Amino acid sequence: MNRERAVKSYPGRPDCVPARPRSILGFVSKLTSLKDAVARFVPDGASVCLGTGLEAVIPFAAGHEIIRQGKRDLTLIGPISDMLFDQLIGAGCCRKVVAAWVGNVIAGLGHNYRRAAERGVPHPIEVEDHSNFTLALGLLAGSLGAPYIPTRSLLGTGILESNRSLKLATDPWSGEPVVLVPAIVPDVSIVHVQRSDAEGNCHLWGTLGVSREAALAARAVIVIAEEIRPREQILADPNLVLVPSLKVAAVVHEPWGALPSPCQGFYGRDHDFFMRYHEESRSPEGFRAWLDKWVLGVPDWKGFLDLLGTETLERLRVKEHHLSDPLDYGAR
Amino acid sequence: MNRERAVKSYPGRPDCVPARPRSILGFVSKLTSLKDAVARFVPDGASVCLGTGLEAVIPFAAGHEIIRQGKRDLTLIGPISDMLFDQLIGAGCCRKVVAAWVGNVIAGLGHNYRRAAERGVPHPIEVEDHSNFTLALGLLAGSLGAPYIPTRSLLGTGILESNRSLKLATDPWSGEPVVLVPAIVPDVSIVHVQRSDAEGNCHLWGTLGVSREAALAARAVIVIAEEIRPREQILADPNLVLVPSLKVAAVVHEPWGALPSPCQGFYGRDHDFFMRYHEESRSPEGFRAWLDKWVLGVPDWKGFLDLLGTETLERLRVKEHHLSDPLDYGAR
Amino acid sequence: MTYTDRELMVIAAAREIGDGELIFVGMRLPLLAFALAKRTHAPRALGLFENGIVRESPAPETPFTISDPPNIAGALWSTTTGNIMALLQQGLVDMGFIGGAEVDRYGNLNTSYIGDWKRPKVKLPGSGGGGDIASLATRFVIIMPQEKHRFRERVDYITSPGHGDGRDWRRKVGLRGGGPSALITTLAMFRFHPDTKEAYLVSFHPGQSVESVRAQTGWDLKVAADVGPTPEATHAELEIVRSCDPQGFWTR
Amino acid sequence: MTYTDRELMVIAAAREIGDGELIFVGMRLPLLAFALAKRTHAPRALGLFENGIVRESPAPETPFTISDPPNIAGALWSTTTGNIMALLQQGLVDMGFIGGAEVDRYGNLNTSYIGDWKRPKVKLPGSGGGGDIASLATRFVIIMPQEKHRFRERVDYITSPGHGDGRDWRRKVGLRGGGPSALITTLAMFRFHPDTKEAYLVSFHPGQSVESVRAQTGWDLKVAADVGPTPEATHAELEIVRSCDPQGFWTR
């Protein structure tokens, strides 16, 4: 119930002081199934930030579970989102998109995004246009608890017209025009990481994108981890911890959970999967068939991986390991 | 000459678009002596950010070299600065202080700071009062190339009165008052790190304070490193790199260079040294004697370490090593 | 069992920490208070430090400064100063500790200038993180030595905002944090009136009285109806405090 | 030695990169252009990627996206998207590459909406980092396929600002970056007039002519006095491009 408050959805522009996720504090294990995590922390109508690592560590496992649970009226927040937002939009989970780019990075346009934005299929969506920088700055402002951050990007563009959340203002020192980017505070941010302990102290490396700002700005964080490690192993490198565990609502152990996007040190990108999705999602029927097969036709992520097949996993698995030099945190 | 431009001092509020440190770019070794680094990149009148790790990794070696070279009219920028700013002020190197706290953390007041601010001894200094947050936000704005960042801190305080660089404004969304913190762009930031390669790709861990923002905001960076490592060892962990080497003007190998402040994994804090300085610097004569002995009486940092004595170094050296788990950056 | 004023201050400060709370700790007595609270009534409290540290448990040996390596090893998070201050500005920090050179009847603190800031009689070190904690924490607790010249009717300069000139001053100037909730001194303990926001005496330490405390207060001091001695330090509390400060560097 | 339009586009793009320059690279043809420039005339160029990467040398095998693990391993820096965009806003980035669905005579790009944005005929993916590069880079180079319907008198929506309506438009709206310096298409190469800031034809690719290019341009096209064929791709350049794209995924 307190937990619900921690991810309560706020109408309009998000307040830039998040509700204190009180019940999240404390040192109980937050390990849970992806099913439970999505059921409890992604209520209908919530604003959800995901796909924060740009083309890498996209939490597809969580996205598919959101679709299976038939979540509705979500506000999706993310920089480029790749294929994931297109899937959530096509499945009817999304009321509004706050993003810099929505489509299929390797193949181009997102067919479901087009159908929804152009023809209201499966239903109309609201689009809040950003650039990668303004989205990053909005999340940074949220993470700072600052109401907004000014930028000189996007002056003179249509984005200032179509995105009513941005304000044109004047730098009181130089008198020059600036764009004010209001704080973006997701109800919940879903981040995929390499390793976490049961409390949500977690390590992410490789492509960061806006993952840190997204996690710090959010009212609650769901951590999806390739590996669950003992606490001492994570806290042996406190500088690498992505977000203080007091912000973490749930920790989910879901190996391969970012496929078909890559995860540094664990697996590469399944290029063909993105290409096939692009072809198969051209028509609503084609997308439906894709959805039935890959998402609704399986009970969970394990089911998705079985469909993908062990040969594919073996092909994508990282085989050449490049380890960093350990850091000495010795204190005496 | 280009290099000079890279650290040219700007009058008044720093422009928040730093001059491109063109000549700094390129892949020549930037290894140099501390003497040369200070001579070339800390010209009289420059704004210099140092002491960015709060009570840790304070670049005392660089500070003492600045004093030995008799630099003048420097603007010192730093959060709490501990004993270092007091020494630079007492030695007459400083025209202006931009800081949240100046003194001797463990012992309290800074005697030279008081003499300069109260009685103009050795000469008057200008003080720009900040809090740790507003100083961090000013450097963050500088690092973002943003003209300013708003905050709700310090409303109703005297700091808004005595620090004319801060502006009171209104959040155009909520109508509530905010404080605008203008970008702080140091001509040069001096950061002490555990390890660097010859180009300035460097790793800092332990206490960060405002080190990252300070390095990214500056027109040029001087890296003081405990160890010089081969490039591959540093780039084996690109997420840990503090600042892109294109910002780095010089790399100095100066082991123990942060003493008497601590450096995680290398040495602890020499508490007694801070206490003795506090006693000995009570009078201008006492400070002069301290300066003659510890700074002007020795040719370089090696001389300081010899005075300190091997027993002290051995006592402070970290003996219990705690290594972090390596990160796998494997890609295929 | 006898104890020093500072030991009692630590113990009184620890009692202000609630279990499961996020506490902006800082150095000196507050660091000991946090250690004591963790080992008694607030095992789930978390400590924040402005150098970028979040700790679940205090360092095994009490560090001289918050940036001493033992305070980083074993931390839950070691990040930037900005990210820690951001938790304050997000409204997530329940309480912070602040000291001061001067305080006034509304809990405003001055750590910047004695006299006119344009021509200061004394230049004090400045805000550090104090102004931020006072502005943004849900509440804060002041810990400082009590001497008449430090307890002013009005401070010369507000570094860390208390309740300004009282009542709803904080709301009027736009401060979101709740302001000071307690003032713990070498002589006594004060709280702030819910309406007027003026400090009033709630208890005096051993050897003190309402009169002796009033004699060291620079304004017409209000006193609680049920004013009495500060609750005694218990044997258990003292043992923990002394185990954290064996040399008595902070508490003797 | 014959080659494709795309191979020539990559080669022409590479020639726009100066040695020692900071280049905002991106995916597809620009990634190949960066690789080519590094191995020919610009060995000291640095590449930026909006996912947070700074690279001295391109990844050993050309990645499909900038976030593929090979593009991170061996990077000079792997940081946040914000920190990379910050280098743009600091004015440190010499040049960036941008593609677009529509371009107009002043080099304004639309990748957001075809038709009225309130009731779009086509919803395009959006800005990504394009709007930021166009706003903030010292200069930028446009690479896109040329078809008459994409080369509009005026784009429906400005996602990435070129020279607006010409002349000193960028200065008037407050943009600090210099705007587009070249437009490289499947048919030809264009530059922008120093005063009017209007695109004009400087060269046409093999098999093209002033007329054939004009036929695929949606405005009254200006032509350079010394217009001629685009400089041929050299054998050496082609070998490098093909070694970077052995399957011809990008250039066939």
Side-chain angles (χ1 to χ4, degrees), chain D residues 81-97:
Chain D
T81 293
N83 281 340
I84 292 296
M85 294 303 186
L87 294 175
L88 264 177
Q89 192 163 243
Q90 283 188 333
L92 297 180
V93 178
D94 297 284
M95 193 262 272
F97 288 107

mmCIF file of all heavy atoms in Angstrom, chain D residues 81-97:
data_model
loop_
_atom_site.group_PDB
_atom_site.id
_atom_site.type_symbol
_atom_site.label_atom_id
_atom_site.label_comp_id
_atom_site.label_asym_id
_atom_site.label_seq_id
_atom_site.Cartn_x
_atom_site.Cartn_y
_atom_site.Cartn_z
ATOM 1 N N THR D 81 24.945 9.615 -21.933
ATOM 2 C CA THR D 81 24.506 10.389 -23.095
ATOM 3 C C THR D 81 24.621 11.887 -22.799
ATOM 4 O O THR D 81 25.087 12.666 -23.630
ATOM 5 C CB THR D 81 23.046 10.023 -23.430
ATOM 6 O OG1 THR D 81 23.011 8.662 -23.880
ATOM 7 C CG2 THR D 81 22.475 10.924 -24.513
ATOM 8 N N GLY D 82 24.237 12.263 -21.589
ATOM 9 C CA GLY D 82 24.294 13.674 -21.213
ATOM 10 C C GLY D 82 25.702 14.249 -21.294
ATOM 11 O O GLY D 82 25.898 15.369 -21.776
ATOM 12 N N ASN D 83 26.700 13.473 -20.830
ATOM 13 C CA ASN D 83 28.076 13.980 -20.864
ATOM 14 C C ASN D 83 28.601 14.134 -22.281
ATOM 15 O O ASN D 83 29.432 15.007 -22.545
ATOM 16 C CB ASN D 83 29.009 13.061 -20.067
ATOM 17 C CG ASN D 83 28.908 13.303 -18.569
ATOM 18 O OD1 ASN D 83 28.454 14.358 -18.126
ATOM 19 N ND2 ASN D 83 29.298 12.318 -17.777
ATOM 20 N N ILE D 84 28.127 13.297 -23.201
ATOM 21 C CA ILE D 84 28.557 13.422 -24.600
ATOM 22 C C ILE D 84 27.896 14.643 -25.234
ATOM 23 O O ILE D 84 28.545 15.475 -25.874
ATOM 24 C CB ILE D 84 28.191 12.145 -25.387
ATOM 25 C CG1 ILE D 84 29.031 10.961 -24.904
ATOM 26 C CG2 ILE D 84 28.380 12.369 -26.893
ATOM 27 C CD1 ILE D 84 30.528 11.112 -25.144
ATOM 28 N N MET D 85 26.589 14.782 -25.007
ATOM 29 C CA MET D 85 25.877 15.934 -25.549
ATOM 30 C C MET D 85 26.451 17.227 -24.960
ATOM 31 O O MET D 85 26.458 18.272 -25.606
ATOM 32 C CB MET D 85 24.387 15.827 -25.232
ATOM 33 C CG MET D 85 23.706 14.656 -25.931
ATOM 34 S SD MET D 85 23.934 14.784 -27.729
ATOM 35 C CE MET D 85 22.911 13.439 -28.306
ATOM 36 N N ALA D 86 26.965 17.133 -23.720
ATOM 37 C CA ALA D 86 27.563 18.300 -23.072
ATOM 38 C C ALA D 86 28.780 18.799 -23.854
ATOM 39 O O ALA D 86 28.999 20.004 -23.961
ATOM 40 C CB ALA D 86 27.946 17.962 -21.642
ATOM 41 N N LEU D 87 29.543 17.875 -24.431
ATOM 42 C CA LEU D 87 30.707 18.299 -25.232
ATOM 43 C C LEU D 87 30.230 19.100 -26.437
ATOM 44 O O LEU D 87 30.857 20.084 -26.840
ATOM 45 C CB LEU D 87 31.527 17.085 -25.676
ATOM 46 C CG LEU D 87 32.229 16.289 -24.573
ATOM 47 C CD1 LEU D 87 32.900 15.047 -25.151
ATOM 48 C CD2 LEU D 87 33.255 17.151 -23.847
ATOM 49 N N LEU D 88 29.078 18.687 -27.007
ATOM 50 C CA LEU D 88 28.471 19.462 -28.099
ATOM 51 C C LEU D 88 28.136 20.866 -27.612
ATOM 52 O O LEU D 88 28.479 21.859 -28.237
ATOM 53 C CB LEU D 88 27.169 18.798 -28.538
ATOM 54 C CG LEU D 88 27.117 17.838 -29.711
ATOM 55 C CD1 LEU D 88 25.696 17.303 -29.847
ATOM 56 C CD2 LEU D 88 27.563 18.495 -31.003
ATOM 57 N N GLN D 89 27.449 20.934 -26.464
ATOM 58 C CA GLN D 89 26.972 22.230 -25.980
ATOM 59 C C GLN D 89 28.113 23.114 -25.501
ATOM 60 O O GLN D 89 28.005 24.346 -25.511
ATOM 61 C CB GLN D 89 25.931 22.048 -24.877
ATOM 62 C CG GLN D 89 25.200 23.332 -24.529
ATOM 63 C CD GLN D 89 23.908 23.120 -23.764
ATOM 64 O OE1 GLN D 89 22.824 23.448 -24.245
ATOM 65 N NE2 GLN D 89 24.000 22.579 -22.572
ATOM 66 N N GLN D 90 29.243 22.490 -25.148
ATOM 67 C CA GLN D 90 30.427 23.276 -24.792
ATOM 68 C C GLN D 90 31.103 23.857 -26.029
ATOM 69 O O GLN D 90 32.055 24.628 -25.911
ATOM 70 C CB GLN D 90 31.431 22.414 -24.024
ATOM 71 C CG GLN D 90 31.055 22.166 -22.572
ATOM 72 C CD GLN D 90 32.178 21.469 -21.815
ATOM 73 O OE1 GLN D 90 32.987 20.741 -22.388
ATOM 74 N NE2 GLN D 90 32.240 21.707 -20.526
ATOM 75 N N GLY D 91 30.639 23.450 -27.207
ATOM 76 C CA GLY D 91 31.227 23.982 -28.438
ATOM 77 C C GLY D 91 32.497 23.268 -28.858
ATOM 78 O O GLY D 91 33.271 23.787 -29.659
ATOM 79 N N LEU D 92 32.719 22.075 -28.324
ATOM 80 C CA LEU D 92 33.977 21.367 -28.598
ATOM 81 C C LEU D 92 33.899 20.445 -29.814
ATOM 82 O O LEU D 92 34.917 19.926 -30.261
ATOM 83 C CB LEU D 92 34.387 20.541 -27.379
ATOM 84 C CG LEU D 92 34.694 21.317 -26.104
ATOM 85 C CD1 LEU D 92 35.088 20.371 -24.977
ATOM 86 C CD2 LEU D 92 35.803 22.329 -26.353
ATOM 87 N N VAL D 93 32.690 20.194 -30.318
ATOM 88 C CA VAL D 93 32.543 19.225 -31.403
ATOM 89 C C VAL D 93 32.612 19.938 -32.753
ATOM 90 O O VAL D 93 31.808 20.825 -33.045
ATOM 91 C CB VAL D 93 31.229 18.440 -31.266
ATOM 92 C CG1 VAL D 93 31.067 17.469 -32.435
ATOM 93 C CG2 VAL D 93 31.196 17.697 -29.935
ATOM 94 N N ASP D 94 33.600 19.571 -33.574
ATOM 95 C CA ASP D 94 33.839 20.254 -34.844
ATOM 96 C C ASP D 94 32.787 19.947 -35.882
ATOM 97 O O ASP D 94 32.360 20.824 -36.627
ATOM 98 C CB ASP D 94 35.205 19.844 -35.402
ATOM 99 C CG ASP D 94 36.329 20.255 -34.486
ATOM 100 O OD1 ASP D 94 36.651 21.456 -34.472
ATOM 101 O OD2 ASP D 94 36.845 19.396 -33.742
ATOM 102 N N MET D 95 32.365 18.679 -35.933
ATOM 103 C CA MET D 95 31.443 18.303 -36.997
ATOM 104 C C MET D 95 30.612 17.091 -36.597
ATOM 105 O O MET D 95 31.075 16.257 -35.829
ATOM 106 C CB MET D 95 32.220 18.000 -38.275
ATOM 107 C CG MET D 95 31.362 17.902 -39.520
ATOM 108 S SD MET D 95 30.956 16.212 -39.943
ATOM 109 C CE MET D 95 32.400 15.853 -40.960
ATOM 110 N N GLY D 96 29.377 17.063 -37.084
ATOM 111 C CA GLY D 96 28.529 15.908 -36.866
ATOM 112 C C GLY D 96 27.834 15.524 -38.153
ATOM 113 O O GLY D 96 27.644 16.365 -39.034
ATOM 114 N N PHE D 97 27.478 14.257 -38.259
ATOM 115 C CA PHE D 97 26.729 13.777 -39.425
ATOM 116 C C PHE D 97 25.259 13.614 -39.062
ATOM 117 O O PHE D 97 24.929 13.168 -37.970
ATOM 118 C CB PHE D 97 27.274 12.416 -39.881
ATOM 119 C CG PHE D 97 28.627 12.484 -40.531
ATOM 120 C CD1 PHE D 97 29.749 12.031 -39.859
ATOM 121 C CD2 PHE D 97 28.759 12.990 -41.819
ATOM 122 C CE1 PHE D 97 31.004 12.082 -40.466
ATOM 123 C CE2 PHE D 97 30.015 13.042 -42.428
ATOM 124 C CZ PHE D 97 31.135 12.585 -41.750
#
